[in-house]
Amino acid sequence: MRKLISGLLSLILLSAYPVAADTFTEAEIEFNERPVQLFDQLQKKTNFPLSFNNRQQFEQLAKELKYQPEQLQRDLATLARLYLQSTITAPNEVSHARLLTRQLESIAITPLDEAKILLLEGRIRGREDQQYQQSIILFKEALNKIASLNDSEAMSYKFVLQGYLSTMNGLLKQDTQAMYHYKQYRDLAYQMREDYFIAQAETALGKFYVNKQQLAKALQHYNEAFRITSRLDTPVLHAHTQFQLSRLYRDLGQWDEALKNANNAAISFQQLGQQAFQSKALTVIAMVYGMQKQWNKAIDYYLNAQQIDQQNGHLIGQALNFHNIGEAYFYLDNYQSSLNYLTMANEIFKARKVLHYLVYNELLFAQVSSKQQQWQQTITHAEAALEIAESKQLIDAQKEALEYLSIAYRKVDDISSTLEVMDKMVAISQSEQASPVNDLVHSSLNEEKFKLEISNLQQKLTRYMGDNKDQQKAIIILLAVVFIFAFLWFVSLKKLNRAKQTCQTLRRLSVQEPLTQLNGYQALINLLSSARSPKTLALVNIRALADIDIDLGLSEYKAITASLSKQLELDLNCEVFIIKPGEFGLCFSDELSAQQTLTNLEAQLAAITIANKNNIPNFSDINEQPLHAIMGHVNLPLLANPDLRLTAQLQYETVQYALAAAKSLNEAQTYVSIRSLNFAPAAIFFKPLYLNLTHALQRGIIRAETNRQAADINWPTD
């Protein structure tokens, strides 16, 4: 029954998968699954290339193309990304991507627009010059631009950026950073609840663990990815999952499984038009034959992969295949052919500055030269490899380079260099800590292998059940399942609606001041944290109202406070927040001086009386008092540097500090305003805030203004 339900869900999911992307998530899936078709479609639809240099020209072009400007902007950004995909073959790919990036920059308005431009810049740096470190900086900057955005489009771009960051850090052997971004990548996928993204992330994590030789963990992630892709109609992702499985089986020494999965992946990539990945799948096949010492077969597949990379202009792929062919000829004792191919690989790696591949090519060069007893060449290449390995902190590569150097220096009777090399080898040996063998690794690996096999059998069993001849029984069961699903859906919908109502009620209550149920402290903090943060923030204390809740009673206090709050909002054109009896927060969208703010406030307070005492039973002895304000004031943002951001709580506590100073003067109609100078560091706003602000005032880093004698102010210091 459970398997039948699983099969039904798969059918529903497959039938529901759209041809045209209606959401940003589905658009990202289409970007990965149908890149060539999407590329052709967007080229025709956008009439690329377009000519515009500003927003006005762009909107006119959009109108002519019968486009909404926002949608045309998204399509051009997608087209630029496609130009940088390895699956797209077109003339002047990078030039077109750079043109689109410049044009999109001329019309960028929102943080998401800016993030897209940074993403494209990072991809161009990585694609054209392999400037991976620069790409990482740009991707991180893009993430910071949209860190506070949670809409579907922004979340999709966060997911893409985390994927690029994990890949780039992995290429640079920055494992800690790579692991952080891989986990962020996976967490975002589960947060978005998108199976396709989850499978992508699980596959990426599996690939990372394979590179770290943590095969049990890798198999666990591949198992989950394979389980998901087997039920989705997503041939590209399924082919990539099979390709990664082939690499894992290769590392496990299961040659038949490795060859089967690699061949299936290569066929799928060829049908999908993804020649770059077809080349990689052929490389896996070649490596499997190489591990079985079938070097001639390995060379055939390496050459096939190299021809595909050459046709697609993939220089790094060609260089890797040259390296692999050089290794194969070395094991066939054909040293001259080996050196020829290693030389071609070296030229490309050096020209493209791909040091993380160059180091291993130099090591193999040194090994071949040592085998031929060409000691000077051995020294040259081993020293080059050692220099790169030390800069990249590749311990195994350092040890191998030192071994070749020790042999070569002894052969040329360079005793001092030999001793220096031996000292380095001893230092590395002493610094290494032996890692204990974990007996659970092999059992975990076997467990995950069994899980994968069980998953494969379950998938086959599900397909076989579709051929069951007892269709009448299947239809009855199917109808029962549909009824159960409908009932569960109805019950879940009711629970969801109740949960939504409860959530809305709690969210509304959380921002209210408890006594009056008007907007209070938390509502003020939310406003300061939002994109529409005010330009002026004032905290006002009206002494006459400090005990009004006790003097007049709670019900009268609520009515008076609501009336006063509404009147101030209308007359001052601001938002009013109730902090406590007699204390209000005022937020203005315009930048107002402290004197102007206080003058406007006093003018409104002068026309207001506390209450009509004749209408209040048992309070006939209450004397009406004039309403005068004491005010703390700041203009936002507090810091001139837009890249330095303070939390809403610190901004509120700063205006509290100003109000405390104003109250110390003990005079009505008083204000104190705090402002920081352009060179003021963010550290003055760290906790303990009151103490830091007082020290900053004494040092002249921030300024205080008041309509009273500043010398009389008793500044709070804690």
Side-chain angles (χ1 to χ4, degrees), residues 380-442:
T380 300
H381 292 290
E383 285 181 341
L386 180 61
E387 181 181 354
I388 300 171
E390 288 177 341
S391 67
K392 298 290 183 181
Q393 297 182 348
L394 303 174
I395 302 300
D396 290 338
Q398 291 179 49
K399 290 164 63 177
E400 186 177 350
L402 289 169
E403 288 175 6
Y404 297 140
L405 283 172
S406 67
I407 296 171
Y409 281 134
R410 285 199 301 270
K411 293 296 184 180
V412 297
D413 295 328
D414 189 342
I415 303 303
S416 61
S417 296
T418 303
L419 291 174
E420 183 181 348
V421 167
M422 296 302 293
D423 288 341
K424 287 185 178 181
M425 294 176 71
V426 170
I428 291 175
S429 178
Q430 290 176 345
S431 65
E432 284 186 316
Q433 296 180 356
S435 56
V437 178
N438 187 353
D439 293 334
L440 295 176
V441 171
H442 298 295

Side-chain angles (χ1 to χ4, degrees), residues 383-665:
E383 285 181 341
L386 180 61
E387 181 181 354
I388 300 171
E390 288 177 341
S391 67
K392 298 290 183 181
Q393 297 182 348
L394 303 174
I395 302 300
D396 290 338
Q398 291 179 49
K399 290 164 63 177
E400 186 177 350
L402 289 169
E403 288 175 6
Y404 297 140
L405 283 172
S406 67
I407 296 171
Y409 281 134
R410 285 199 301 270
K411 293 296 184 180
V412 297
D413 295 328
D414 189 342
I415 303 303
S416 61
S417 296
T418 303
L419 291 174
E420 183 181 348
V421 167
M422 296 302 293
D423 288 341
K424 287 185 178 181
M425 294 176 71
V426 170
I428 291 175
S429 178
Q430 290 176 345
S431 65
E432 284 186 316
Q433 296 180 356
S435 56
V437 178
N438 187 353
D439 293 334
L440 295 176
V441 171
H442 298 295
S443 61
S444 297
L445 184 58
N446 289 331
E447 181 183 349
E448 291 303 326
K449 288 163 67 176
F450 288 138
K451 285 182 180 179
L452 184 61
E453 291 174 4
I454 291 171
S455 177
N456 290 336
L457 291 174
Q458 286 177 335
Q459 295 298 330
K460 291 179 181 178
L461 184 59
T462 302
R463 289 194 294 269
Y464 292 152
M465 287 180 64
D467 299 329
N468 194 327
K469 296 181 180 180
D470 195 359
Q471 294 184 5
Q472 184 175 2
K473 183 178 179 181
I475 291 172
I476 294 172
I477 295 173
L478 191 62
L479 290 173
V481 170
V482 171
F483 174 80
I484 292 170
F485 275 132
F487 176 77
L488 292 175
W489 175 81
F490 178 77
V491 172
S492 299
L493 188 61
K494 290 186 68 177
K495 288 184 177 180
L496 180 61
N497 288 333
R498 284 199 298 271
K500 284 182 178 179
Q501 292 173 1
T502 302
C503 185
Q504 290 173 357
T505 301
L506 292 174
R507 191 177 289 117
R508 185 176 64 254
L509 290 174
S510 69
V511 300
Q512 292 177 352
E513 191 273 329
L515 295 179
T516 60
Q517 279 81 54
L518 299 175
N519 282 341
Y521 166 79
Q522 192 56 50
L524 174 58
I525 294 299
N526 290 348
L527 178 63
L528 293 175
S529 304
S530 68
R532 59 185 191 93
S533 178
K535 296 295 182 61
T536 302
L537 173 61
L539 193 58
V540 176
N541 182 274
I542 303 174
R543 290 179 179 175
L545 303 181
D547 296 320
I548 190 173
D549 56 327
I550 298 173
D551 293 339
L552 300 184
L554 182 60
S555 58
E556 194 67 17
Y557 160 65
K558 290 170 63 176
I560 291 172
T561 304
S563 176
L564 177 60
S565 175
K566 183 177 181 181
Q567 193 64 40
L568 289 177
E569 285 186 343
L570 290 173
D571 295 334
L572 297 179
N573 191 25
C574 67
E575 293 187 51
V576 178
F577 302 87
I578 312 302
I579 307 303
K580 62 182 181 180
E583 194 163 301
F584 304 82
L586 307 181
C587 292
F588 301 83
S589 58
D590 298 323
E591 185 171 335
L592 304 175
S593 67
Q595 183 61 61
Q596 182 181 0
T597 305
L598 184 62
T599 301
N600 294 343
L601 177 62
E602 286 288 339
Q604 297 305 319
L605 292 177
I608 297 174
T609 56
I610 297 176
N612 185 350
K613 62 184 179 182
N614 296 324
N615 294 334
I616 305 173
N618 305 321
F619 291 95
S620 58
D621 59 337
I622 294 178
N623 295 317
E624 296 180 357
Q625 304 177 47
L627 302 181
H628 292 302
I630 299 173
M631 183 180 74
H633 169 278
V634 294
N635 287 121
L636 301 177
L638 289 170
L639 292 171
N641 188 346
D643 294 328
L644 299 176
R645 297 182 180 179
L646 300 178
T647 65
Q649 288 79 5
L650 284 175
Q651 295 178 44
Y652 175 80
E653 197 171 346
T654 301
V655 80
Q656 269 191 316
Y657 176 86
L659 178 59
K663 290 177 72 175
S664 72
L665 293 170

Side-chain angles (χ1 to χ4, degrees), residues 4 27 33 132 134 156 200 234 259 362 377 409 419 444 464 576 606 612 619 626 636 643 664 684 686 714:
L4 184 61
E33 288 294 320
Y132 297 141
Q134 289 297 317
S156 296
Q200 270 189 316
T234 52
L259 290 173
E362 292 284 11
Q377 284 193 17
Y409 281 134
L419 291 174
S444 297
Y464 292 152
V576 178
N612 185 350
F619 291 95
L636 301 177
D643 294 328
S664 72
I684 64 174
F686 289 174
N714 183 18

